[in-house]
């Protein structure tokens, strides 16, 4: 993402180019590959013509227009904060096209331009390179001069690339051209070679010395140890096409597998989760912005968060604090839960504490103690909170202290006016596969994409429903309409006279058995029950 306070990207690029260290540019060809390369630690990117054209599905022969390249570059520059060197091929014409291109790149925060001494339309250096015609030296120098005169920012760099070796000319021609480009104002020389060893570029560098920084693209001489380039005093190495090539292999393998199997099971664990796409897209920033800018629908409601238990599955993480205070992305689970309610306008939140109660201390909440947390269950904690609360005027939400969820889950609950509403995840098989206890439910009808508006009611709830009966997993959040709170109190009290360790699924089952309609809203995903260390890790990307 753009960073307003960082150095200008032109300056960053120029520093990399002129520093005595060997630096590396990674190829990127669209916004997401740019992000991935930046996250991998690259300090600058190469927007290569080969891969940029390939991602459009066309040839590296100026089939994509320069404005189509610019359009993609704009997305790339927006996606990262590091500088981008654009492979501008020949400059798309003469001096006039180059100076216009420089202006457009500066407007889009692209830090530098590379142009090569061939004729428009060019073709890739590795396709019949020795048949390629080079530009007249003076004419090419006019492109360099016009580009340098056009730049507004003193640190914008123009890297000039000679194809003398590619086109079958020798070292003398390469040096003659490089010298002329230097005199015309170039900031660096890219010396390209299609050999499978670095002979040409090393010979060039030896004669050229340090007159201008030297940039290389070791695609064909990939086996050369990087130390050789470093010892020779090369400034920049461009890894010019490797992300696209990696993508081709993985995409093809995935496509062939899905085509063959006609299902997704064998690929699912080997590809990035959808959450990872969201993360790379920066979805969390948009969610924060929505909370900041959009008028929030205020819900007149209050919340009881059941957070008395330790959470044994989290090992030493809960030595000093209960599960609800385990941090995910720098914030306790309880903090995430509170944020979800706050963003729906709900501020009145009571938390039932038990294990290490003193560690549960977020501001702005009210607290109720369950001193018997060690040998009581969820309903006992709920009863502690209901006894401390005389409010019968507002709807009540009940949440588990270890379940985080997206805010829209609350909107789903509020959109239905039945007395009791629960959200049920249709993706319950994962919990069964992981063999962990979960609040499974049976409903009056299964989830149906065709009939998603029908009024589905709960018919049974429990941890040990037969798989054939299960329609989903209750995700630990429910809404009770204000006028049904007295009935809730009575049912809870009655269940506890029989079983001190009663759980909320017993309450759901009791309401259903008493003929009280419990409305089910189906959804898929977008919540997380943090029961194990693995869950804490997934919660990082979820939050
Ligand atoms: C590119 O990556 O588009 C280049 C380098 O220009 S090469 O493909 O080797 O010509
Ligand atoms: Mg190119």
């Amino acid at each position: 993402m753009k960073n307003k306070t960082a150095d200008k990207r032109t300056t960053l690029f120029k520093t990399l180019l002129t520093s005595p260290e060997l630096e590396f540019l990674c190829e990127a060809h669209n916004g997401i590959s740019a992000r991935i390369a930046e996250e991998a630690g690259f300090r600058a990117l190469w927007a290569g013509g080969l891969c940029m054209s390939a991602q459009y599905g066309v040839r590296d022969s100026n089939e994509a227009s320069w404005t189509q390249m610019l359009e993609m570059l704009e997305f790339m520059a927006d996606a990262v904060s590091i500088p981008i060197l654009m492979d501008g091929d020949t400059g798309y014409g003469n001096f006039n096209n180059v100076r216009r291109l420089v202006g457009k790149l500066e407007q889009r925060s692209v830090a530098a331009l590379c142009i090569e001494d061939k004729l428009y339309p060019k073709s890739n250096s590795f396709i019949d390179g020795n048949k390629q015609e080079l530009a007249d030296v003076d004419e090419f120098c006019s492109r360099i001069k016009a580009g340098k005169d056009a730049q507004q920012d003193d640190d914008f760099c123009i890297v000039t690339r000679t194809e003398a070796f590619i086109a079958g000319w020798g070292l003398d021609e390469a040096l003659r051209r490089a010298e002329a480009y230097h005199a015309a104002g170039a900031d660096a020389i890219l010396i390209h070679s299609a050999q499978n060893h670095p002979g040409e570029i090393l010979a060039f560098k030896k004669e050229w010395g340090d007159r201008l920084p030297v940039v290389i693209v070791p695609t064909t001489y990939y086996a050369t140890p990087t130390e050789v380039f470093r010892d020779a005093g090369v400034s920049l190495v461009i890894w010019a096409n490797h992300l696209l090539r990696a993508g081709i292999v993985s995409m093809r393998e995935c496509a062939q597998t899905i085509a063959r199997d006609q299902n997704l099971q064998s690929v699912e664990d080997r590809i990035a989760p959808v959450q990872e796409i969201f993360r790379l897209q920066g979805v969390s920033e948009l969610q924060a912005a929505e909370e900041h800018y959009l008028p929030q629908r205020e819900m007149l409601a209050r919340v009881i968060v059941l957070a008395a238990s330790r959470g044994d599955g989290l090992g030493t993480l809960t030595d000093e604090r209960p599960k609800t205070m385990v941090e995910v992305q720098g914030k306790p689970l309880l903090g995430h839960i509170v944020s979800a309610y706050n963003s729906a306008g709900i501020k009145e939140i009571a938390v039932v504490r038990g294990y290490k109660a003193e560690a549960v201390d977020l501001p702005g909440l009210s607290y109720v103690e369950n001193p018997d947390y060690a040998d009581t269950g969820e309903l006992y904690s709920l009863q502690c909170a209901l006894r401390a609360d005389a409010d019968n005027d507002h709807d009540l939400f009940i949440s588990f202290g270890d379940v985080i969820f997206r805010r829209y889950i609350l909107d789903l609950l509020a959109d239905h006016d039945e007395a009791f509403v629960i959200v049920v995840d249709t993706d319950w098989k994962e919990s069964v596969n992981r063999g962990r206890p979960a609040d499974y439910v049976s409903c009056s009808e299964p989830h149906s994409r065709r009939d998603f508006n029908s009024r589905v009611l709960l018919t049974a709830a429990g941890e040990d429903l037969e798989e054939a009966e299960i329609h989903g997993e209750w995700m630990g959040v429910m809404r009770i309409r204000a006028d049904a709170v007295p009935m809730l109190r009575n049912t809870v009290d009655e269940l506890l006279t029989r079983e001190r360790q009663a759980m909320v699924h017993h309450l759901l089952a009791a309401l259903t058995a008493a003929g009280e309609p419990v409305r089910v809203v189906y959804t898929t995903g977008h919540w997380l029950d943090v029961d194990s260390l693995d869950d804490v890790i997934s919660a990082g990307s979820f939050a």
Side-chain angles (χ1 to χ4, degrees), residues 46 48-50 60 87 89 116 122 161:
W46 165 248
L50 172 61
D60 187 15
D87 174 6
D89 292 342
E116 66 198 51
K122 52 76 55 105
R161 158 169 163 182

Side-chain angles (χ1 to χ4, degrees), residues 46 48-51 60 87 89 116 122 124-126 161 163 192 217 219 240-241:
W46 165 248
L50 172 61
C51 296
D60 187 15
D87 174 6
D89 292 342
E116 66 198 51
K122 52 76 55 105
N124 187 273
S125 306
F126 300 140
R161 158 169 163 182
E163 295 276 281
H192 204 14
V217 186
T219 304
N241 40 51

Side-chain angles (χ1 to χ4, degrees), residues 305 307 324-326 332-339 351 360 362 365 367 401:
V305 182
T324 198
M325 293 304 283
V326 168
L333 292 175
L334 182 59
H336 290 284
I337 296 167
V338 167
S339 297
V351 180
V360 186
L362 298 189
L365 309 176
Y367 293 101

Side-chain angles (χ1 to χ4, degrees), residues 109-130:
S109 305
V110 176
L113 168 66
C114 178
I115 50 173
E116 66 198 51
D117 54 3
K118 293 202 300 223
L119 303 177
Y120 181 90
K122 52 76 55 105
S123 66
N124 187 273
S125 306
F126 300 140
I127 303 173
D128 292 336
N130 55 7

